[in-house]
Amino acid sequence: MSGRLDSAQPYALGLFRIVVGLLFACHGAAALFGVLGGAVGTDGGTVDAGTWPGWYAAVIQLVGGVLVMLGLGTRVAAVVASGSMAYAYFKVHQPGALWPMENGGEASAMFCWAFLLLVFTGSGAFGLDRLLTRRTAEGAEPAAEQRPVAA
């Protein structure tokens, strides 16, 4: 049974990445464009452009979520997204109470750890990272056949 589960790991990881990226991008779209119920605490509205930290967090959520969902630059996008969620938890939620259940920071904590996992695992299956890596590896000459450039 472990063998079958291990062989499915890249696919499960790819689906996990897609779902987490989509949910994160939805948070950014809600805050920036007022869709899907709008920004939290604005009665369906949007965050004001350029306001700290809300607008910047929303941009990171939208762009980072889309990049992670597509599997494009997954590790870099995930480290930025994880850091933004750590900031959100410790600066916005944690001063209110110690535990996420008490301070409303469950989503921030979960996104932070989910993205940190993707930093270490990569995109898994179905990611554009793998497609681009495969194409560049096929198009490059093998290292043994490359000739030095004469000056």
Side-chain angles (χ1 to χ4, degrees):
M1 177 134 164
S2 288
R4 283 189 181 173
L5 291 175
D6 288 345
S7 67
Q9 185 176 3
Y11 305 105
L13 186 60
L15 290 173
F16 173 79
R17 173 189 47 78
I18 290 167
V19 169
V20 169
L22 175 65
L23 293 173
F24 202 59
C26 287
H27 277 276
L32 291 174
F33 308 120
V35 296
L36 305 169
V40 175
T42 63
D43 294 329
T46 61
V47 294
D48 293 330
T51 57
W52 178 259
W55 185 81
Y56 293 95
V59 170
I60 290 171
Q61 290 167 355
L62 181 62
V63 174
V66 168
L67 289 174
V68 167
M69 182 177 62
L70 294 174
L72 186 61
T74 303
R75 291 178 185 221
V76 173
V79 78
V80 171
S82 179
S84 75
M85 289 295 96
Y87 178 89
Y89 182 76
F90 287 111
K91 286 297 209 177
V92 177
H93 298 286
Q94 202 275 329
L98 178 63
W99 297 102
M101 282 300 290
E102 297 174 323
N103 63 31
E106 299 99 333
S108 296
M110 287 296 294
F111 275 125
C112 179
W113 286 105
F115 285 120
L116 190 63
L117 176 66
L118 290 173
V119 169
F120 289 97
T121 61
S123 62
F126 317 121
L128 292 179
D129 285 342
R130 284 189 173 208
L131 180 66
L132 295 175
T133 302
R134 191 177 314 134
R135 282 191 178 169
T136 56
E138 290 173 0
E141 287 185 44
E145 296 179 13
Q146 291 180 350
R147 297 183 194 129
V149 177

